[in-house]
Amino acid sequence: MTDSFLIGLDYGSESARGVLIDTASGQQIGSHTHSYRHGIMTQQLPGGGALPRGWALQNAADYIEAAQDILSKLGSGRNIDGIGLGFTASSPMPTTLTGQPLSELYPDDPHAYVKLWKHGAAQKFADDINARGGSYLDNFGGKVSGEWLLAKAVQIANEAPKLWSETARFIESGDWLVWQLSGQERRSLGFAAYKAQYSDSDGYPKDITDGLEQRLTLPHPVGSPAGNLTQAWRIKTGIEGKATVAVSVIDSHVALPATGAVRTGCLVGALGTSAAYLFLSERFHALPTGIEGVAYNGSIRDLWCYESGQASFGDTLAWFVRNFPRAGNADESFKLYNSEAAMLAPGENRLVALDWWNGNRVPLADSRLSGILMGLSMDTTSVGIYRALMESLCFGARSIVDLFAAGDINVERVLMTSGLAQNNPLLIQIMADVMNRPIEVPEIANPTAVGAAIHGAVAAGVVSSYEEGAARFGAKSYRHYIPEEKHVVVYETLFQLYREMSNSVRARAAMHTLSGMPTAETLVEGSAEKIIKPLLGS
């Protein structure tokens, strides 16, 4: 009998990772990570063209390069049953009818590239969409985010109409990569529902911008096969066997079966560069106020999944360590900051931070908002600030869980996953104390990529359900964090201060002003008054 395997691909913001799983034993027997050649483009295009503030782009060619590298290293000469794919979202791109990225045809036009999820320059178009309203917003709290596909489509149509006229397909990068691997354009219901507000009853939203519906195609539920790996990719990678490619899944959602979250009542936090919190339910509940959205069959088959999140999580800590290093490299700086922050008692730093370093995703869906650090004094230390930032991330997470509770949704089990959850026990203990809830962390390597492999197993018929896939290939054990009562009391006080900051309308107005602040070179007579007046109020 020939050995057979699964491959799971996890495409994040900075790099892609793959895992190889033995189908018979369920064990991970290999993994490989590939960093994107062009990374996240926030300053300039590959050819050197400057980018405005708030832009975050990627080059589709990097995704192909990563796929070829990972699939070759893991799959060459092996019999592969299924390939699954998780992808950071919403990261759409314009292409031709055959799927060629327009960035290959127009390398000097920034609108021709992938707009990464953290591309904030589309927020004003989201605001316009929200002001018009529509029934398609009912399952998304009455608003869309500038991070999502609709606002990014409108931005291209308004700012680059000639390029939009040549866009035959506007497609999430995860769906595009599945198209390249399988030769079939098979969009994912997860991406379509959560990031483009698709519904089975009404399709995509109407009247967003001219021709948008014609540039989108009907999606397929998660676990659906897109097709088998093409002959061209088999030659490039050496992969043998059936190699069924599953439709893509949002990266935070794809981890669910690997963590064992395949049943109602589970809340899973995927703590990465940003953070997503996903609640699974057998029955539909009215969307709690502030929660981003809900869809059926877009994350796990036969379950509703409520999505919410923080626009900045691990990258907030990375920002601090990068700008205020304690050692010659980031890893050593993180270790030093964590070890010293663990020696501080809750409240000892006398600081409270607001975690909006990359805007606010829930409940405000506003990428123009920014962070706050309150309580600075001559006694403040860099370690104290680092701990305040960690605590702010946990306050943001608790505010989301509180929204579920306020919406009469009973969260029965809380799990946190990702490398950050596994490698930073201080962070998870703080989160348990702030939430006053037990938290479980699945003890499994590469959970996002493993989750993708499970989706591949479902699509290929290796398993009959996500429950079976989770049992065979998912986590077998969990690390448990229990709230410490004396810490809970202190954090309750700090959390209320956090709530006051986050509820301040004047603070948010000031953030908007700072976000749109012109440079000295662009100021004209009277502009100072226009900037200050909105802050004065009535």
Side-chain angles (χ1 to χ4, degrees):
M1 182 177 176
T2 304
D3 292 338
S4 61
F5 304 88
L6 301 167
I7 291 178
L9 299 173
D10 166 24
Y11 273 73
S13 299
E14 302 273 4
S15 62
R17 175 175 297 178
V19 296
L20 181 71
I21 296 178
D22 184 287
T23 304
S25 69
Q27 299 298 308
Q28 295 183 50
I29 62 171
S31 67
H32 182 65
T33 299
H34 178 101
S35 296
Y36 304 140
R37 183 184 300 273
H38 297 94
I40 301 174
M41 298 182 291
T42 58
Q43 303 294 322
Q44 63 181 31
L45 296 175
L51 292 173
R53 186 177 183 273
W55 283 60
L57 307 178
Q58 288 197 314
N59 192 333
D62 291 352
Y63 305 151
I64 295 296
E65 186 178 274
Q68 183 167 349
D69 181 31
I70 295 170
L71 292 175
S72 297
K73 284 187 168 60
L74 297 181
S76 181
R78 289 190 166 103
N79 186 64
I80 304 299
D81 285 330
I83 299 172
L85 171 66
F87 213 103
T88 190
S90 173
S91 300
M93 72 173 85
T95 77
T96 66
L97 191 62
T98 59
Q100 182 181 17
L102 292 192
S103 57
E104 295 180 1
L105 302 176
Y106 303 99
D108 297 326
D109 189 335
H111 283 293
Y113 287 83
V114 175
K115 285 181 167 61
L116 190 62
W117 62 269
K118 65 195 302 181
H119 174 82
Q123 182 60 47
K124 63 181 180 181
F125 299 100
D127 294 341
D128 292 341
I129 294 171
N130 296 336
R132 295 199 304 268
S135 60
Y136 63 89
L137 296 175
D138 290 349
N139 279 351
F140 298 91
K143 59 186 178 300
V144 299
S145 167
E147 296 180 19
W148 299 351
L149 181 143
L150 298 183
K152 291 171 178 175
V154 176
Q155 185 185 17
I156 297 177
N158 279 263
E159 297 181 357
K162 183 178 183 300
L163 186 87
W164 185 245
S165 70
E166 297 193 35
T167 300
R169 291 288 184 266
F170 196 54
I171 185 168
E172 288 285 351
S173 294
D175 291 333
W176 176 81
L177 187 55
V178 165
W179 187 359
Q180 306 313 297
L181 295 175
S182 68
Q184 306 293 324
E185 184 185 1
R186 295 287 186 271
R187 301 203 186 201
S188 162
L189 180 58
F191 285 111
Y194 291 103
K195 306 306 177 186
Q197 286 57 67
Y198 173 90
S199 73
D200 288 335
S201 58
D202 299 322
Y204 293 102
K206 312 295 190 295
D207 303 323
I208 295 297
T209 194
D210 287 345
L212 178 59
E213 283 187 276
Q214 288 70 48
R215 292 165 171 85
L216 307 173
T217 56
L218 295 179
H220 301 263
V222 295
S224 300
N228 296 336
L229 192 67
T230 67
Q231 185 61 29
W233 273 96
R234 292 172 189 272
I235 293 171
K236 285 194 287 189
T237 62
I239 284 178
E240 301 172 1
K242 185 179 177 183
T244 297
V245 180
V247 298
S248 59
V249 187
I250 297 171
D251 60 344
S252 53
H253 296 228
V254 80
L256 290 170
T259 68
V262 291
R263 296 181 180 86
T264 191
C266 289
L267 178 77
V268 177
L271 311 180
T273 304
S274 61
Y277 302 93
L278 309 169
F279 178 78
L280 298 174
S281 178
E282 290 178 347
R283 66 184 183 88
F284 177 80
H285 304 264
L287 189 72
T289 301
I291 297 301
E292 283 182 281
V294 59
Y296 188 71
N297 273 342
S299 306
I300 295 287
R301 282 288 186 96
D302 303 323
L303 287 175
W304 292 92
C305 182
Y306 292 78
E307 182 187 50
S308 55
Q310 292 161 276
S312 182
F313 201 87
D315 59 351
T316 297
L317 302 180
W319 164 84
F320 185 80
V321 168
R322 182 173 61 252
N323 285 281
F324 307 98
R326 296 287 302 281
N329 63 70
D331 288 342
E332 286 301 316
S333 286
F334 271 118
K335 288 178 183 177
L336 287 170
Y337 273 121
N338 271 329
S339 62
E340 294 184 34
M343 298 173 66
L344 294 176
E348 187 178 346
N349 57 2
R350 303 293 195 273
L351 297 171
V352 179
L354 190 60
D355 58 312
W356 298 350
W357 252 242
N358 198 39
N360 175 270
R361 187 176 291 170
V362 169
L364 301 172
D366 189 344
S367 61
R368 295 173 297 169
L369 298 178
S370 51
I372 293 176
L373 189 59
M374 184 172 69
L376 292 167
S377 73
M378 298 300 289
D379 295 326
T380 300
T381 66
S382 60
V383 174
I385 294 174
Y386 180 80
R387 175 147 185 149
L389 292 177
M390 294 181 75
E391 291 168 343
S392 76
L393 301 178
C394 299
F395 294 148
R398 173 179 164 176
S399 68
I400 289 171
V401 174
D402 285 356
L403 290 174
F404 281 111
D408 292 325
I409 290 181
N410 181 31
V411 176
E412 299 172 8
R413 184 186 183 198
V414 178
L415 302 99
M416 296 293 161
T417 186
S418 77
L420 190 59
Q422 292 174 337
N423 299 325
N424 199 325
L426 173 61
L427 175 66
I428 305 304
Q429 184 60 57
I430 293 173
M431 191 171 287
D433 294 339
V434 167
M435 290 186 181
N436 194 19
R437 289 174 177 268
I439 293 176
E440 301 173 60
V441 175
E443 295 183 312
I444 181 173
N446 308 308
T448 307
V450 171
I454 294 173
H455 281 273
V458 172
V462 172
V463 295
S464 61
S465 66
Y466 283 103
E467 288 84 355
E468 183 185 351
R472 284 180 57 177
F473 308 117
K476 303 298 190 294
S477 60
Y478 299 82
R479 190 182 308 165
H480 296 267
Y481 293 82
I482 306 300
E484 295 187 32
E485 187 174 346
K486 60 182 180 180
H487 294 172
V488 170
V489 175
V490 176
Y491 279 131
E492 186 61 36
T493 298
L494 295 175
F495 178 68
Q496 294 309 317
L497 296 176
Y498 170 94
R499 289 286 303 275
E500 287 184 30
M501 284 196 295
S502 63
N503 289 334
S504 171
V505 174
R506 288 190 175 226
R508 297 202 295 266
M511 293 173 192
H512 285 172
T513 299
L514 290 170
S515 175
M517 187 72 112
T519 63
E521 290 77 9
T522 59
L523 284 172
V524 296
E525 185 176 353
S527 58
E529 181 181 352
K530 293 178 182 178
I531 292 170
I532 295 171
K533 191 173 181 180
L535 298 179
L536 299 179
S538 57

